[in-house]
Amino acid sequence: MNKIKILGSIGLISTATLTLVACGKGNGTNSEGAKTASKFPVETPIKDAKQGGTLKVAEEMDTPFTGIFNEELQMSQPDADVMSPGQESLFDTDDHYKINDKGAATLRLNRKAKTVTITVKKGVKWSDGKQVTAKDIEYAYEIIANKGTKSERYSSQFNIIEGLKEYHEGKVKTISGIEMPDGENGRTVIIHCKELKPGMAYVGNGYIWENAAPYHYLKDIPFTKLESSDEVRKRPLLFGPFQVQKVVRGQSVTWVPNKYYWRGKPKLDKIIYQVVSPNSASQAIKSHKFDIARVVNNQWKQVKDTKEVNFIAKIPLAYYYLGFKVGKWDAKNSKNVMNPKAKMCDKNLRQAMAYAMNTDQVYKHYTDGLSFQIPTLIPAQFGDYFDKNNKGYTYNIKKANEILDKAGYKKKGKWRTMPNGKALTINFAAKSGDAIQEPIVQNYIQQWNKIGLNVKLVGGRLTEFNSFYDKVQHDAPGIDVYMAGWTLSDEPSQAQLYSEGTMQNYSRFVTPENNKLIAEMDSQKAFDHKYRVEKFHEWQKYMVDQAYVVPTYNQYNIDAVNNKLTGYSLKPSKINYDHPMWFNVGFVK
């Protein structure tokens, strides 16, 4: 389940009634919401379900979803959300993210032979009735690695597979390391690797792709036109419990049961995902317009007393962050390249901006503690990989000023200049979001202004979600700093996000030390858990010091669920992205 996704906005609503606050000690202690959410269950009560019914799910956004119904090309969380009723990974997991044999396919690792064997179960069929085959697994790798698709899923991690690098570079037409012993129409694939990695027994490891793509359905579409095709945008073929009945572009998707689904018939007759603006999100929850809706955290007090709903909650494997642009993506050589002359290449400047951020106070003030500051890029959910002793950047305006003074950023009037005496203007890109996004962004700009940094919003305003990521992904000129977020894979390897050879390293930082630490955390020595933990702690210490990417916050996800529903869960083994949770959801008898 390679489910690193770009976190979506929850929706921009009027900020007229909100004012920018100077978050002092009096405002920074609110956490009642978090105390309440921590007591909520992670799934609805288990009851007998009846057959039938239409389920309505709210997708809270301030912008249309892009509607890419293909895992190999898809990057945004909103697309993953609306696709979830039909999407299914090849593998199921336990609640510790370890792959088991209960899914559509089985996985066998042979460290001595350096092979990964994937066998699809008989009867696992696409929604047109065709068996999922070995070629469908291999074709998914082709979509990712062929430069014609420009897939952001491609990463140098995949070069562990024999022949994949050569295929990506266009030197060969097939991937030599992917063997189909029973032919393309067989159900077994043997992947020959240069070595196996410690995380390969777990989903989201970044080295094994965990999805298949319908070769028979897509094979005649050129790779360059695949993403824009109707077969991906309007009529996707999937092997999950539901299939697409209707797409209203960017607004809604209607799903009906996949009659060929290998586990059997789902409980529901129909699932409708509908985009809704958070102008009306809290009202929609209170009026029961939707059966499932995510609570907008700053609106928690408005909905907490709603009757006939079950609130379920979980802190997701996710985080938001501040990124500093220090280079560009070299598409020809498929790697990130730093620019030593980039404005944000000075560590002192990055550290000072991090210390000036009053993140903890701001989010406690606006969300009652439901959103909260995190110290490092490894979430606490990763257990001992998380360095609990690393405190990250806590608000310290005095230290921020001292760093800038010592580094030669002298004040010339209101603003500081660069050490060479030239004027310094920092262009800051932030995407549109929920009601508190605008005041929080303006708060950070005000904080940076306090230390003499002239920070301005790109375009003078928040940037629409899809446009924001298009600019960040393609290194649009004029962006020095940006705020974004990730939903993470379930295996903690950092190669997918921060290695030299991944397009998703949007900051574009590349250093010998970072390369070394990432290689070590996924090395053969890292099969020793203690060694791997040490490397993760070293990497966190390094990343906090370098501050190329500074984590800001995570949050409780609270869902308001119709109390007549059963089977809805946020457990890792049942979560609705890539796992068959929707198969189990139904209305209570």
Side-chain angles (χ1 to χ4, degrees):
M1 188 193 328
N2 303 65
K3 63 174 187 177
I4 283 181
K5 309 274 187 190
I6 293 165
L7 279 168
S9 57
I10 297 181
L12 180 66
I13 65 177
S14 174
T15 59
T17 59
L18 290 173
T19 55
L20 185 63
V21 296
C23 293
K25 291 181 180 179
N27 294 323
T29 57
N30 303 326
S31 58
E32 287 304 312
K35 290 178 182 177
T36 301
S38 67
K39 298 175 183 177
F40 286 142
V42 295
E43 59 186 350
T44 55
I46 299 172
K47 298 180 180 180
D48 291 336
K50 64 182 180 181
Q51 198 69 37
T54 295
L55 182 77
K56 295 181 179 179
V57 187
E59 183 65 21
E60 292 153 10
M61 299 182 64
D62 68 318
T63 186
F65 58 82
T66 51
I68 299 173
F69 298 104
N70 175 278
E71 277 278 357
E72 291 73 42
L73 301 172
Q74 180 191 91
M75 279 301 297
S76 78
Q77 191 62 50
D79 278 1
D81 291 344
V82 300
M83 181 182 173
S84 61
Q87 172 57 20
E88 187 164 328
S89 168
L90 291 169
F91 310 117
D92 277 11
T93 77
D94 61 21
D95 284 327
H96 301 287
Y97 307 108
K98 190 170 185 179
I99 294 170
N100 58 35
D101 288 345
K102 296 179 180 180
T106 60
L107 178 76
R108 297 292 180 265
L109 304 174
N110 188 325
R111 191 176 170 192
K112 185 177 180 180
K114 302 178 185 177
T115 59
V116 176
T117 301
I118 300 170
T119 302
V120 181
K121 292 176 180 176
K122 188 176 182 180
V124 176
K125 296 179 179 181
W126 298 105
S127 49
D128 64 354
K130 300 283 188 182
Q131 169 73 38
V132 177
T133 67
K135 182 61 181 178
D136 296 331
I137 295 174
E138 194 255 4
Y139 182 57
Y141 284 96
E142 290 183 2
I143 294 174
I144 291 168
N146 192 292
K147 286 193 175 182
T149 66
K150 297 180 180 179
S151 171
E152 286 194 48
R153 293 295 190 180
Y154 174 75
S155 163
S156 58
Q157 278 185 287
F158 287 121
N159 293 344
I160 197 173
I161 299 170
E162 296 286 355
L164 192 136
K165 184 174 186 289
E166 290 76 8
Y167 177 83
H168 176 66
E169 293 173 347
K171 296 177 180 178
V172 295
K173 293 185 177 181
T174 59
I175 304 169
S176 62
I178 300 182
E179 177 190 355
M180 293 172 273
D182 302 320
E184 292 186 355
N185 293 322
R187 293 181 288 109
T188 298
V189 164
I190 301 173
I191 301 174
H192 297 266
C193 300
K194 294 166 186 174
E195 62 179 4
L196 298 195
K197 295 292 188 176
M200 282 184 168
Y202 295 83
V203 290
N205 60 73
Y207 293 98
I208 303 169
W209 188 246
E210 296 156 24
N211 300 283
Y215 176 72
H216 70 282
Y217 187 61
L218 302 176
K219 64 180 180 180
D220 294 328
I221 304 171
F223 283 118
T224 54
K225 297 181 179 180
L226 195 58
E227 184 177 309
S228 61
S229 69
D230 285 350
E231 287 82 355
V232 165
R233 299 282 187 143
K234 293 182 180 180
R235 302 186 300 273
L237 209 59
L238 304 165
F239 65 83
F242 289 84
Q243 65 182 39
V244 168
Q245 182 185 59
K246 181 183 179 182
V247 176
V248 178
R249 188 171 182 178
Q251 296 301 317
S252 69
V253 186
T254 302
W255 297 87
V256 294
N258 169 13
K259 66 180 180 179
Y260 299 106
Y261 184 54
W262 68 282
R263 296 182 203 260
K265 186 178 181 179
K267 307 289 192 302
L268 298 165
D269 290 334
K270 191 174 289 187
I271 298 175
I272 301 172
Y273 257 95
Q274 175 72 50
V275 168
V276 60
S277 169
N279 306 24
S280 53
S282 60
Q283 186 56 41
I285 290 173
K286 290 190 287 186
S287 64
H288 304 95
K289 183 177 180 179
F290 295 96
D291 297 296
I292 300 172
R294 177 66 45 85
V295 174
V296 180
N297 281 351
N298 64 288
Q299 297 178 15
W300 167 243
K301 289 182 180 179
Q302 299 173 37
V303 302
K304 66 178 183 177
D305 296 322
T306 305
K307 306 299 182 184
E308 299 180 358
V309 301
N310 290 315
F311 289 111
I312 69 171
K314 188 182 182 207
I315 299 173
L317 272 174
Y319 60 77
Y320 291 84
Y321 67 93
L322 186 75
F324 297 90
K325 279 283 187 181
V326 292
K328 291 187 179 295
W329 174 252
D330 180 349
K332 182 179 179 180
N333 296 303
S334 298
K335 66 178 183 178
N336 294 289
V337 178
M338 274 185 70
N339 173 14
K341 296 182 180 179
K343 193 183 300 181
M344 308 312 298
C345 255
D346 187 344
K347 180 175 75 171
N348 297 295
L349 181 57
R350 300 193 300 268
Q351 287 183 340
M353 290 184 70
Y355 276 120
M357 297 174 76
N358 53 350
T359 302
D360 195 47
Q361 296 95 325
V362 166
Y363 283 101
K364 281 182 178 177
H365 174 86
Y366 279 123
T367 73
D368 208 20
L370 291 172
S371 301
F372 48 88
Q373 186 172 6
I374 56 172
T376 82
L377 296 171
I378 301 296
Q381 295 96 307
F382 281 133
D384 53 2
Y385 291 119
F386 167 64
D387 183 0
K388 62 184 179 182
N389 297 316
N390 195 321
K391 303 306 178 185
Y393 286 91
T394 54
Y395 180 47
N396 192 330
I397 205 88
K398 181 181 178 182
K399 192 165 187 176
N401 275 311
E402 288 174 351
I403 290 171
L404 291 175
D405 290 341
K406 189 175 181 180
Y409 290 86
K410 297 177 181 178
K411 276 196 175 181
K412 190 175 182 180
K414 183 178 181 181
W415 306 121
R416 292 180 184 268
T417 63
M418 297 176 72
N420 62 10
K422 291 184 178 180
L424 173 63
T425 300
I426 298 171
N427 301 302
F428 175 40
K431 66 181 184 296
S432 56
D434 62 19
I436 62 175
Q437 182 78 341
E438 177 77 33
I440 285 179
V441 166
Q442 292 298 335
N443 164 80
Y444 287 144
I445 291 174
Q446 181 177 308
Q447 290 299 118
W448 293 324
N449 290 169
K450 284 181 180 178
I451 59 173
L453 296 179
N454 185 11
V455 180
K456 294 183 177 180
L457 273 177
V458 172
R461 57 180 294 176
L462 300 180
T463 305
E464 183 269 335
F465 175 77
N466 295 313
S467 177
F468 170 85
Y469 274 108
D470 182 66
K471 293 176 184 294
V472 170
Q473 290 164 345
H474 296 99
D475 303 321
I479 296 178
D480 301 314
V481 185
Y482 64 96
M483 286 180 67
W486 289 114
T487 295
L488 302 175
S489 288
D490 308 313
E491 209 286 320
S493 171
Q494 295 301 297
Q496 292 180 76
L497 285 178
Y498 298 116
S499 67
E500 181 177 7
T502 176
M503 199 185 302
Q504 296 171 63
N505 179 1
Y506 296 146
S507 183
R508 309 304 181 203
F509 78 93
V510 180
T511 65
E513 181 65 12
N514 185 58
N515 289 346
K516 173 177 170 288
L517 288 170
I518 287 181
E520 287 174 340
M521 68 173 64
D522 284 355
S523 67
Q524 296 303 293
K525 285 185 178 179
F527 277 96
D528 179 341
H529 181 73
K530 183 180 178 182
Y531 173 88
R532 197 174 195 222
V533 166
E534 288 174 358
K535 292 303 170 183
F536 270 91
H537 287 199
E538 285 181 34
W539 184 79
Q540 286 166 86
K541 182 179 179 181
Y542 175 74
M543 290 296 284
V544 167
D545 174 66
Q546 293 296 307
Y548 288 109
V549 177
V550 177
T552 50
Y553 72 98
N554 199 353
Q555 60 188 6
Y556 279 92
N557 282 349
I558 305 174
D559 287 347
V561 183
N562 184 337
N563 68 355
K564 296 181 177 65
L565 280 179
T566 186
Y568 186 79
S569 177
L570 298 178
K571 281 187 174 182
S573 60
K574 299 177 182 178
I575 191 71
N576 53 320
Y577 310 119
D578 300 320
H579 283 306
M581 194 264 297
W582 292 120
F583 173 67
N584 297 312
V585 174
F587 288 95
V588 176
K589 285 183 178 179

